[in-house]
């Protein structure tokens, strides 16, 4: 097992007992009183931190504790505060199926629309309560982020399949349960797997209608035959690993901090 030295630590200052202690990390502190999930401490590239699921809270030097002696009460308080800080300041609504959120960034609140991020006007820097959906749409439209026209020669819209239609229906309910992005995908895939073929066919019909509106053919010709293949409802969704789901959730926040692509990947890997 290998373990990187904490920032500011010199290798010549480490004795055997310290080395063994560091190699024992991450340290389990307690289970969270609300979620029941483990709360642990560790040291990453950017210093010590407390982890609770997908929440990572920095353990600052002035808190009076380190990763080896931080007590449960302090650890839980830190991750709870980080969870609150990570929540959107406002959920304004959606446009074309994408949520429009107001989030807190290093340089002030910003508007998040899909992968796009737009700083809010200066007058909303200290209070976003008066910022409405109409103002958000005007701001996005002014940046040319709404109703983008497809460039000539660009790809046709992707076909919709039964699983996508199923998740579009179930995602809001799963999100309301407080599940993270990766948990939503995992639970959705499990629910889909347990469904009967007749139920899946109902979602395939919805996908067929959506594809028809886009001028797309929902069927796919089989190899060596002109007949259509089985509907995509019988096809399992592609697998994604845990790190990909973690980065999908954390990448927008790190991008909002002004980090470059390489820095985002490095910080994400360190947090992971």
């Amino acid at each position: 097992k290998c373990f990187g030295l904490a920032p500011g630590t010199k290798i010549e200052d480490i004795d055997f007992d310290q080395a063994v202690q560091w190699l024992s990390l991450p340290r389990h502190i307690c289970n969270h009183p609300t979620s029941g999930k483990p709360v642990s401490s560790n040291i990453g590239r950017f210093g010590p931190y407390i982890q609770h699921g997908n929440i990572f809270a920095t353990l600052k030097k002035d808190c009076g504790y380190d990763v080896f002696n931080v007590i449960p009460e302090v650890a839980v308080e830190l991750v709870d505060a980080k969870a609150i800080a990570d929540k959107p300041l406002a959920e304004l609504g959606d446009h074309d199926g994408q949520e429009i959120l107001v989030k807190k960034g290093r340089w002030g609140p910003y508007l998040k629309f899909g992968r796009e991020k737009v700083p809010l006007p200066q007058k909303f820097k200290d209070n976003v309560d008066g910022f409405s959906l109409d103002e958000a749409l005007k701001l996005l439209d002014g940046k040319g982020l709404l109703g983008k026209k497809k460039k000539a020669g660009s790809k046709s819209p992707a076909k919709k399949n039964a699983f996508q239609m199923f998740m579009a229906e179930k995602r809001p309910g799963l999100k309301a349960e407080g599940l993270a992005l990766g948990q939503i995908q995992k639970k959705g895939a499990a629910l889909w797997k347990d469904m009967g073929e007749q139920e899946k066919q109902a979602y395939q019909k919805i996908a067929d209608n959506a594809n028809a509106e886009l001028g797309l053919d929902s069927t796919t010709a089989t190899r060596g035959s002109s007949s259509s293949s089985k509907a995509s409802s019988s096809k399992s969704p592609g697998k994604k690993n845990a790190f990909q789901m973690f980065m999908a959730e954390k990448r927008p926040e790190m991008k909002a901090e002004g980090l470059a692509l390489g820095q985002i990947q490095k910080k994400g890997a360190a947090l992971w």
Side-chain angles (χ1 to χ4, degrees):
K1 182 177 180 179
C2 299
F3 196 88
L5 298 181
T9 304
K10 296 181 180 180
I11 193 168
E12 56 266 24
D13 296 333
I14 301 174
D15 58 26
F16 178 78
D17 291 336
Q18 287 176 312
V20 171
Q21 190 178 36
W22 280 24
L23 289 171
S24 69
L25 293 173
R27 168 188 167 235
H28 178 266
I29 302 171
C30 64
N31 288 336
H32 195 281
T34 302
S35 69
K37 294 181 179 180
V39 177
S40 60
S41 60
N42 205 346
I43 299 175
R45 178 175 297 182
F46 303 99
Y49 63 89
I50 307 296
Q51 180 180 358
H52 171 233
N54 290 328
I55 300 171
F56 298 83
T58 301
L59 185 63
K60 297 181 179 179
K61 293 181 179 180
D62 58 7
C63 75
Y65 296 94
D66 59 35
V67 292
F68 301 110
N69 63 17
V70 59
I71 60 177
E73 293 80 5
V74 172
V76 170
E77 182 180 351
L78 286 172
V79 293
D80 284 351
K82 186 62 165 61
I84 293 173
D86 286 347
K87 283 186 177 180
L89 298 176
E91 298 181 8
L92 302 179
D94 65 83
H95 178 77
D96 286 344
Q98 293 193 78
E99 286 186 311
I100 300 178
L101 307 173
V102 177
K103 302 198 74 174
K104 182 179 180 181
R106 179 179 295 183
W107 294 282
Y110 64 92
L111 200 61
K112 184 176 184 298
F113 176 61
R115 294 187 176 185
E116 305 292 347
K117 298 175 182 63
V118 180
L120 263 61
Q122 189 67 24
K123 65 179 181 179
F124 294 106
K125 183 177 181 180
D126 298 321
N127 188 351
V128 301
D129 291 342
F131 192 73
S132 66
L133 176 60
D134 288 340
E135 289 175 301
L137 292 174
K138 289 179 182 178
L139 182 59
L140 292 169
D141 192 39
K143 298 289 184 179
L145 301 177
L146 297 182
K148 288 184 177 179
K149 294 183 178 180
K150 187 173 68 172
K151 295 180 180 179
S154 61
K155 293 182 179 179
S156 300
K159 292 180 182 179
K160 306 292 184 182
N161 61 42
F163 179 71
Q164 289 174 326
M165 298 296 101
F166 169 76
M167 285 302 296
E169 178 182 293
K170 298 296 182 183
R171 188 175 288 108
L174 296 175
K175 187 176 180 181
E177 295 178 15
L179 301 179
L181 177 62
Q183 294 172 319
I184 290 174
Q185 289 296 113
K186 186 176 181 180
K187 186 170 183 179
L191 292 172
W192 176 258
K193 185 178 180 181
D194 292 338
M195 285 178 61
E197 191 63 31
Q198 188 173 359
E199 293 177 289
K200 291 181 179 180
Q201 286 296 335
Y203 287 101
Q204 182 58 42
K205 289 181 180 179
I206 298 174
D208 290 343
N209 291 335
N211 289 329
E213 292 180 4
L214 295 172
L216 301 174
D217 182 10
S218 294
T219 59
T220 304
T222 57
R223 187 174 182 179
S225 171
S226 59
S227 61
S228 62
S229 66
K230 291 183 179 180
S232 60
S233 60
S234 61
K235 185 178 180 181
S236 299
K239 291 183 179 180
K240 293 186 177 181
N241 61 42
F243 180 71
Q244 288 174 322
M245 304 312 301
F246 167 76
M247 286 301 296
E249 180 176 301
K250 294 296 180 182
R251 187 177 290 108
E253 300 171 12
M254 291 188 281
K255 188 176 179 181
E257 293 176 7
L259 300 179
L261 179 61
Q263 294 172 315
I264 289 174
Q265 289 298 112
K266 288 181 179 179
K267 185 173 181 179
L271 292 174
W272 177 257

